[in-house]
Amino acid sequence: MLTFYLGLLIAGAVLLLIPLLGPAGDAQLEDAEAGPQHDDGAEGGLAWLPFHSLRFWTFATTFGGLAGAVLTSVGVSTAGAAVAATVVGFLSGAGVCAGVTSLGRKSATGSYSEDDFIGAQGVVLLPLKAWGEAGRVRIRVARRDVDRPAITEDPRALAAGEGVVVWRVLTDGTVAVTTSETQVAHRVI
């Protein structure tokens, strides 16, 4: 059994080292992590279990294998080591998945300060009429795309697909945009 646990430990450790290979390793893990996308509306049942996640299996095999190897080498019974390794593996894999998911939600839906938006570039999603009638833009903030209601105080309308720069954030979260970075510099000063 010690050989089995050491094999699990080595396999998990290799998977943990893949992101250190650089951008190619990160892309491979992100693609594998995405997995099959099922949106059947089933919120109940066992849908919350992380068995489809490469991250889960990476940490479950690494730490389950480590626990099994250590317990086997100190003389714990085969059944005791197997149960402990399974529990440690599941808890470590599920814990890491839950933590990463929680962090992703917080950063994706977290609040942004006004300074995060000023000078950020984006694209018009819903056209903006001249002098203040609202539309919608997608802005790149903190390496994420954020959709916001927007206005322009430019004398001309801005069409969908047109590139914009944020120069001001209103109190309701609406952003004021323009098409020229030069105008942003003049308005911020």
Side-chain angles (χ1 to χ4, degrees), residues 38-184:
H38 300 291
D39 190 14
D40 55 8
E43 293 295 323
L46 300 176
W48 60 271
L49 289 174
F51 295 133
H52 67 280
S53 169
L54 178 61
R55 184 175 289 124
F56 170 81
W57 290 108
T58 299
F59 284 89
T61 58
T62 302
F63 292 104
L66 178 63
V70 168
L71 292 173
T72 299
S73 64
V74 295
V76 174
S77 70
T78 303
V83 169
T86 302
V87 169
V88 167
F90 178 80
L91 291 177
S92 63
V96 168
C97 286
V100 169
T101 300
S102 175
L103 288 173
R105 281 190 193 132
K106 286 181 182 175
S107 64
T109 60
S111 61
Y112 298 97
S113 73
E114 183 176 326
D115 292 339
D116 293 333
F117 285 96
I118 304 296
Q121 297 183 355
V123 64
V124 175
L125 297 176
L126 296 175
L128 306 170
K129 305 264 176 156
W131 301 106
E133 193 172 328
R136 194 153 189 88
V137 296
R138 177 166 291 152
I139 307 158
R140 190 77 171 162
V141 178
R143 295 183 295 167
R144 296 204 183 265
D145 291 331
V146 179
D147 294 353
R148 285 290 171 117
I151 61 167
T152 182
E153 294 174 359
D154 288 355
R156 71 174 186 85
L158 302 179
E162 197 165 345
V164 293
V165 177
V166 176
W167 63 273
R168 182 166 62 117
V169 179
L170 306 178
T171 56
D172 66 353
T174 300
V175 294
V177 298
T178 185
T179 57
S180 168
E181 289 187 37
T182 306
Q183 290 178 350
V184 170

Side-chain angles (χ1 to χ4, degrees), residues 28-38 52-54:
Q28 289 171 357
L29 276 182
E30 287 173 12
D31 290 345
E33 187 65 32
Q37 301 297 320
H38 300 291
H52 67 280
S53 169
L54 178 61

